[in-house]
Amino acid sequence: MSLTFYFAPMSTATVSQLVIEELGIPCERVQLNIQNKDTKKPEFLKVNPNGKVPCLVHDGTSIWESAAITIYLGEQFGTDKKLWPAAGPKRGEAMKWVVWTNVTLADAVYRVGRNTGTWVPADQQNAKVAELAAKEIQDLLGILDHALDGKQYLLGNDYTLADAHVNSFLDWLRHQKMDFSAHKHLNAWGERCSARPAYKKVNAH
Ligand SMILES: N[C@@H](CCC(=O)N[C@@H](CS)C(=O)NCC(=O)O)C(=O)O
């Protein structure tokens, strides 16, 4: 089996790095430098035409998008290790949280970023859109908080790659100093997820 993982530090690839670390699967790691535009070089565009990390190549097949990578690795390597549910409703739930994070939550996060970040010219930004999106993020975090009420982890008593994925994505919001104070179940769960050896290893700076 050949597995090659393309990543960059401090990027969405950290989510996939954690998933790989939790699974303990051997893979070749290729570190790219986004500032140096490694992600836009022709040799990498052949691997991922989107020019983005993370990207995983398994036996010659490229898999990009961190949500797809988590779900794929979970299915391939996670069920025996009890880190990903067997096919059935529990797996559906795991997929629900991973996809919700990347589609619904990430969309609101993007709207805040593109309307406040220095990477978009001020005359192309809309403060009202940013304000509404920030409120939407709080509502979405509230949904997550509610789902964790009375539970150790998203799917119940056992930690899975869904927890790894969602919590690692939330690190970006924590890094942005987003207010998490209203979400006590979420915060307690985040501490449980972050206490895992794989998390500590991936996030050791
Ligand atoms: N939706 C993608 C997002 C990937 C993404 O935006 N990656 C950024 C880093 S956070 C990237 O590689 N940017 C490189 C570039 O734009 O050149 C995923 O979840 O994998």
Side-chain angles (χ1 to χ4, degrees):
M1 177 192 67
S2 113
L3 210 52
T4 308
F5 175 57
Y6 294 83
F7 73 104
M10 299 286 289
S11 76
T12 313
T14 305
V15 174
S16 311
Q17 250 178 299
L18 176 59
V19 166
I20 289 169
E21 193 62 43
E22 285 285 3
L23 290 167
I25 40 177
C27 72
E28 188 195 333
R29 284 155 214 257
V30 181
Q31 180 167 339
L32 302 183
N33 183 322
I34 295 176
Q35 280 72 39
N36 289 355
K37 304 233 176 296
D38 287 351
T39 39
K40 304 299 183 222
K41 290 188 175 151
E43 59 267 32
F44 181 65
L45 292 175
K46 277 188 212 144
V47 179
N48 182 359
N50 300 285
K52 293 196 164 134
V53 287
C55 185
L56 184 77
V57 180
H58 187 190
D59 290 339
T61 298
S62 270
I63 299 150
W64 61 73
E65 287 295 335
S66 57
I69 292 171
T70 297
I71 291 168
Y72 179 72
L73 290 179
E75 288 184 8
Q76 290 285 311
F77 307 106
T79 49
D80 290 353
K81 296 177 172 141
K82 304 268 179 252
L83 283 166
W84 193 251
K90 276 273 175 220
R91 179 177 289 184
E93 252 195 312
M95 291 163 74
K96 167 182 84 179
W97 285 115
V98 170
V99 173
W100 175 85
T101 298
N102 281 45
V103 176
T104 305
L105 182 59
D107 182 62
V109 172
Y110 174 75
R111 272 180 275 132
V112 173
R114 72 127 2 258
N115 287 292
T116 57
T118 49
W119 44 280
V120 177
D123 64 356
Q124 290 170 35
Q125 293 187 333
N126 182 327
K128 188 73 195 162
V129 171
E131 191 191 315
L132 289 172
K135 158 90 177 63
E136 197 176 317
I137 291 171
Q138 286 301 325
D139 292 346
L140 293 169
L141 294 180
I143 290 173
L144 188 57
D145 187 60
H146 180 69
L148 287 161
D149 186 0
K151 268 194 227 143
Q152 291 290 300
Y153 295 108
L154 283 169
L155 305 190
N157 289 327
D158 298 319
Y159 175 90
T160 67
L161 298 179
D163 299 289
H165 186 104
V166 179
N167 184 58
S168 181
F169 181 92
L170 292 184
D171 278 343
W172 174 246
L173 304 188
R174 296 181 181 114
H175 179 71
Q176 299 286 98
K177 305 271 181 273
M178 194 151 288
D179 183 11
F180 275 59
S181 57
H183 310 294
K184 64 177 196 294
H185 308 300
L186 191 164
N187 290 331
W189 161 83
E191 280 175 23
R192 283 192 286 279
C193 293
S194 311
R196 292 183 62 87
Y199 179 93
K200 288 193 179 149
K201 188 167 171 197
V202 166
N203 291 289
H205 297 300

